[in-house]
């Protein structure tokens, strides 16, 4: 199920971070376009995340400029209007 | 390294039919292996995962003791392959939150955010979660210097001094990964010796920027906005000292994820599920596999073995 309305989604990631991959996989599975920023290559982005969230960890999502720390599925679902489950087979 | 390409098919699946032969709770190595075996037995199989496929193993940077991968493999890649294999064998994977389970009757039911699913057999493979130390400062600085996931958080500590608590396999393996990012590591271990595999011990001790504090207890994690130091105490001399660190990575064991079953499934004194040789629990038709059950070694290799045994037992139960 695609998101009902268009959202701006940015995902901050690190290369070895499995939760980051799961978040990206989840968004792709729901056909949600997003921009990815690798904080290991962008130290300023890492500082920005810490400033905005107070957290030193990824994944962090910005959904319509609202930060979500971690793969917080229920919040992500709510903000992106993802409901229940969908056919993928 | 193997390049896994994502097509999005790992996201929550539609499961319009609510009735299955077996429901597997948890999609870590144990649950996914159970899914492979159950699927190949042509059992209608549903794997329900609350968070993300792969479990704790998926967060491990390098798994070097799982057979078949002489150069090691990342936990994410390994478990992603397991997921693909389970789905190819016919198991369905659903990512959704489980609200409650009713296991006592012949037909078991699992109530989730995506509806209620029924099966005649259930395999519990919900795994375990990193155990907190419950020391002052741990909760306060969680995410602000205290971490349980090196692969997630290491870049935030680039060029900094950090501590790793726990010198078991996880603590040492993740320390080796962290050395790619950090300036130095102080490893704090409560026991008088490391418990990690000898090969890992040798590898970590080759690094001059690693200090080992054995027989030492972490007393507190200190700081203001973020972590600035830890206080440790030597167990014999009771001498206390502060170590200046910006981060603390904690690997002191695992707690079983059994909150859903604590009222119905027999657990041991530490909360792990008791099983017999067939991995059967105290409830007919309910089996347990992987880290969540009482056993002596919690590794991916033992989890997959558990998954196979539990699925075999579930099939036998269903055919009886």
């Amino acid at each position: 199920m695609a998101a009902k309305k268009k959202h701006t989604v940015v995902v901050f990631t690190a290369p070895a971070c499995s939760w980051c991959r799961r978040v990206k996989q989840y968004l792709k599975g729901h056909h949600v376009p997003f921009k990815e920023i690798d904080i290991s290559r962008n130290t300023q982005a890492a500082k920005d995340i810490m400033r905005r969230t107070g957290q030193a960890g990824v994944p962090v999502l910005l959904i319509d400029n609202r930060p979500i720390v971690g793969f917080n599925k229920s919040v992500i679902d709510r903000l992106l209007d993802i409901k229940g489950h969908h056919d993928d087979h | 390294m193997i390049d896994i390409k994502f097509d999005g098919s790992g996201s929550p699946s539609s499961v319009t039919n609510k009735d299955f032969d077996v429901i597997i709770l948890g999609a870590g190595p144990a649950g996914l292996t159970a899914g492979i075996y159950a699927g190949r037995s042509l059992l209608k199989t549903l794997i329900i995962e609350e968070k993300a496929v792969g479990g704790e193993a998926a967060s491990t940077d390098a798994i070097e003791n799982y057979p078949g991968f002489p150069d090691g493999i990342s936990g994410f890649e390994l478990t992603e392959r397991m997921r693909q294999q389970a789905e190819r064998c016919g198991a369905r994977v659903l990512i959704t939150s489980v609200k409650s389970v009713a296991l006592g009757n012949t037909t078991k039911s699992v109530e989730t955010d995506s509806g209620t699913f029924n099966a005649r057999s259930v395999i519990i493979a919900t795994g375990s979660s990193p155990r907190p130390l419950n020391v002052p400062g741990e909760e306060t600085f969680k995410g602000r210097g205290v971490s349980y996931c090196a692969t997630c958080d290491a870049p935030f500590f680039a060029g900094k001094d950090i501590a790793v608590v726990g010198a078991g396999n996880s603590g040492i393996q993740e320390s080796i990964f962290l050395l790619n990012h950090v300036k130095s590591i102080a490893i704090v271990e409560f026991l008088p010796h490391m418990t990690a595999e000898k090969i890992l011990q040798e590898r970590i001790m080759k690094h001059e920027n690693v200090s080992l504090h054995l027989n030492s207890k972490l007393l507190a994690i200190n700081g203001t906005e973020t972590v600035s130091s830890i206080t440790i105490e030597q167990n014999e001399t009771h001498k206390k000292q502060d170590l200046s660190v910006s981060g603390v990575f904690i690997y002191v064991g695992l707690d079983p994820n059994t909150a859903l079953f604590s009222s119905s499934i027999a657990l041991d004194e530490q909360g792990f599920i008791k099983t017999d040789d067939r991995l059967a629990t105290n409830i007919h038709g309910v089996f347990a596999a992987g880290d969540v059950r009482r056993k002596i070694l919690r590794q991916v290799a033992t989890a997959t073995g558990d998954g196979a045994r539990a699925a075999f037992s579930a099939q036998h139960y269903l055919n009886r």
Side-chain angles (χ1 to χ4, degrees):
Chain A
M1 183 188 297
K4 286 178 180 174
K5 68 178 184 180
K6 199 171 175 79
H7 298 276
T8 303
V9 181
V10 182
V11 185
F12 294 88
T13 66
C17 164
S18 63
W19 286 104
C20 304
R21 298 185 198 185
R22 295 297 180 205
V23 166
K24 291 190 290 179
Q25 195 176 18
Y26 188 72
L27 294 175
K28 285 177 183 176
H30 286 282
H31 312 292
V32 177
F34 60 88
K35 178 185 176 185
E36 180 180 359
I37 296 177
D38 178 353
I39 58 111
S40 71
R41 295 178 165 203
N42 188 335
T43 52
Q44 187 57 49
K47 289 175 184 170
D48 288 346
I49 286 175
M50 289 187 68
R51 182 177 51 79
R52 290 194 63 166
T53 67
Q55 300 281 306
V58 285
V60 169
L61 290 84
L62 285 181
I63 297 178
D64 300 326
N65 220 26
R66 175 175 170 175
I68 297 110
V69 178
F71 185 8
N72 192 333
K73 183 173 167 290
S74 59
V75 175
I76 294 169
D77 285 354
R78 181 162 48 80
L79 294 177
L80 294 177
D81 306 314
I82 295 170
K83 290 187 175 63
H85 41 269
H86 73 286
D87 275 307
D88 63 357
H89 293 272
Chain B
M1 283 296 185
I2 298 154
D3 182 27
I4 301 286
K5 290 184 169 57
F6 299 112
D7 58 6
S9 59
S11 61
S13 311
S14 173
V15 184
T16 49
N17 191 332
K18 306 284 188 184
D19 297 316
F20 291 84
D21 293 320
V22 59
I23 291 175
I24 298 164
L25 299 173
L32 292 170
T33 305
I36 291 167
Y37 276 75
R40 286 175 61 83
S41 297
L42 302 184
L43 299 177
K44 285 180 63 183
T45 303
L46 175 65
I47 304 173
I48 298 176
E49 168 60 47
E50 283 211 320
K51 293 179 178 173
V53 174
E56 282 300 307
S59 295
T60 303
D61 174 55
I63 293 175
E64 299 181 39
N65 55 6
Y66 189 74
F69 299 92
D71 298 323
I73 184 169
S74 84
F76 180 84
E77 289 168 359
L78 179 60
T79 54
E80 179 61 22
R81 283 171 167 264
M82 290 178 183
R83 179 193 68 80
Q84 291 173 0
Q85 193 170 357
E87 291 193 325
R88 199 165 291 165
C89 292
R92 304 295 304 271
V93 178
L94 176 69
I95 298 177
T96 191
S97 295
V98 176
K99 294 177 177 174
S100 66
V101 294
L103 303 175
N105 298 324
T106 304
T107 298
K108 310 357 177 141
S109 64
V110 179
E111 184 187 8
T112 77
D113 281 350
S114 303
T116 299
F117 301 94
N118 305 307
R120 290 183 292 142
S121 180
V122 167
I123 296 172
I124 300 171
T126 46
S128 53
S129 301
R131 179 180 300 157
L133 268 172
N134 295 320
V135 296
E138 182 179 15
E139 188 64 31
T140 306
F141 295 112
K142 195 181 285 183
R144 295 189 291 130
V146 173
S147 173
Y148 306 87
C149 181
T151 54
C152 304
D153 304 339
F156 289 95
F157 301 93
K160 296 181 177 175
D161 301 309
I162 64 156
V164 169
V165 185
N169 272 353
S170 295
I172 301 304
Q173 184 78 62
E174 298 308 286
S175 292
I176 292 167
F177 170 76
L178 284 161
L179 283 167
N180 295 323
H181 297 268
V182 305
K183 182 180 171 189
S184 74
I185 300 180
I187 297 174
V188 180
E189 167 58 49
F190 184 79
L191 296 172
H193 52 83
M194 290 193 273
T195 57
E197 292 171 327
K198 297 292 184 191
I199 192 170
L200 294 175
Q201 295 186 29
E202 282 187 8
R203 207 179 294 167
I204 194 75
M205 293 317 295
K206 287 179 181 170
H207 294 271
E208 292 180 351
N209 53 344
V210 172
S211 60
L212 201 51
H213 301 266
L214 297 174
N215 211 7
S216 297
K217 180 165 57 177
L218 179 67
L219 292 181
I221 300 168
N222 316 306
T224 48
E225 290 291 308
T226 57
V227 171
S228 59
S229 70
I230 58 172
T231 305
I232 63 172
E233 179 183 45
Q234 219 282 342
N235 289 332
E236 288 180 0
T237 64
H238 299 292
K239 182 185 173 188
K240 295 177 185 175
Q241 66 172 317
D242 282 358
L243 304 175
S244 294
V245 295
S246 302
V248 186
F249 288 79
I250 297 174
Y251 297 97
V252 293
L254 300 163
D255 285 330
N257 298 323
T258 49
L260 276 170
F261 324 106
S262 55
S263 62
S264 54
I265 297 282
L267 309 175
D268 72 5
E269 59 281 359
Q270 292 182 305
F272 292 95
I273 295 175
K274 293 179 180 176
T275 56
D276 64 13
D277 287 345
R278 299 170 299 120
L279 303 195
T281 69
N282 59 311
I283 298 180
H284 285 301
V286 179
F287 304 85
D291 280 7
V292 75
R293 77 177 187 92
R294 181 167 69 180
K295 57 198 242 177
I296 59 166
L297 182 64
R298 293 187 171 82
Q299 294 280 292
V300 176
T302 63
T304 56
D306 275 10
R309 289 168 64 195
F312 178 83
S313 296
Q315 182 195 13
H316 191 263
Y317 170 81
L318 291 168
N319 291 338
R320 79 199 190 286

